[in-house]
Amino acid sequence: LYGGITGTTTPEQRQLMYQVAEKKVSAYLGTFLLPTTVTGTYQYPNSIPPEFFIGTDYGYVSSVDFVQVRNIFTGELYNIQSNESITRFFRVHDDTYGYIFIRDYLTHCNGDWYNLFSRPYDVKVVYTAGLPSGAAQQPDILMALSIIAQLNLNELGFPSANEGGGGIGITEFSTLEYREKRKPFRNTVLGRSARADKARELLDGAVKKARKAIRFP
């Protein structure tokens, strides 16, 4: 639907480049293209009372399913399921940027702060993150994925079928009596070329990026 040249590449090679494109777009947006359940481990704060924010690795957090507090030896101190007074112990503070607020009532009841075996050291969180269902099917996102897949597919041949080998950004170009000077392109995980910059433009207009500038709100 969005064009492209397959050339002599095999279906297996094209499938790999589709996966590469999805990973690059996910890295650029700061979240998965589809809701995905992941696990992250975060440092437990030394503050008392233990109320703190966690900045998850991926944005667009739709739910927190499980929280486990562990000691320095990764031993389990206690678990909190999402159906156990979720508003009392933890909740999603900012779903787009992926901030979770945790209020740990159990430390004062079950733990000895000066005992390494009972003192909380880190928090293991199982959560679901990703663009809402159907969001990745927008035409501009699909077009951006097609562009990125094509750019990487072009690198499989020799010489590269891209304008510049390795997808390098070309700011000046001349041939015979023709010469042009281009505006600098942004250097992103998508690439440095004019085509990669077009994919960035499409993504920026389709969805808000979930990448955080700072660790905590």
Side-chain angles (χ1 to χ4, degrees):
L1 290 176
Y2 297 93
I5 301 174
T6 58
T8 59
T9 58
T10 65
E12 291 77 14
Q13 289 175 322
R14 294 193 292 273
Q15 186 62 41
L16 289 174
M17 294 308 103
Y18 300 149
Q19 294 176 12
V20 169
E22 290 178 2
K23 290 180 64 175
K24 284 182 173 291
V25 171
S26 291
Y28 179 74
L29 295 178
T31 192
F32 302 102
L33 296 179
L34 297 173
T36 304
T37 300
V38 292
T39 300
T41 302
Y42 309 95
Q43 192 73 27
Y44 194 96
N46 291 324
S47 61
I48 298 177
E51 298 181 346
F52 54 97
F53 291 95
I54 285 176
T56 57
D57 300 314
Y58 303 95
Y60 287 90
V61 176
S62 56
S63 68
V64 180
D65 309 307
F66 177 78
V67 172
Q68 181 181 79
V69 180
R70 308 186 301 182
N71 62 23
I72 195 171
F73 308 106
T74 68
E76 172 191 322
L77 294 182
Y78 50 84
N79 301 324
I80 308 173
Q81 299 287 351
S82 62
N83 58 354
E84 296 177 357
S85 303
I86 184 169
T87 56
R88 181 184 179 192
F89 293 107
F90 61 87
R91 61 183 173 85
V92 178
H93 176 74
D94 187 306
D95 55 350
T96 300
Y97 292 104
Y99 288 113
I100 298 173
F101 177 71
I102 294 181
R103 177 182 289 113
D104 185 1
Y105 282 115
L106 303 181
T107 297
H108 301 296
C109 302
N110 299 346
D112 178 0
W113 193 259
Y114 299 99
N115 185 334
L116 289 180
F117 287 94
S118 60
R119 178 177 179 175
Y121 178 76
D122 61 20
V123 182
K124 180 179 179 181
V125 181
V126 179
Y127 61 99
T128 300
L131 295 180
S133 297
Q137 301 300 318
Q138 299 177 73
D140 35 12
I141 292 183
L142 294 177
M143 185 176 179
L145 285 166
S146 299
I147 291 173
I148 300 303
Q150 183 72 68
L151 287 173
N152 287 280
L153 189 68
N154 290 345
E155 289 298 314
L156 296 184
F158 182 82
S160 169
N162 287 320
E163 183 180 29
I168 190 172
I170 298 176
T171 57
E172 293 191 25
F173 174 79
S174 64
T175 177
L176 299 178
E177 296 182 355
Y178 176 78
R179 176 184 176 86
E180 65 180 37
K181 185 173 183 179
R182 306 171 181 175
K183 295 174 62 176
F185 304 118
R186 297 188 186 182
N187 185 12
T188 68
V189 68
L190 304 176
R192 301 176 300 278
S193 66
R195 293 276 289 164
D197 204 52
K198 178 61 179 179
R200 175 201 60 77
E201 176 190 318
L202 290 166
L203 293 171
D204 285 349
V207 65
K208 184 178 181 180
K209 294 190 294 294
R211 294 178 299 169
K212 292 180 278 291
I214 56 176
R215 184 62 176 169
F216 299 105

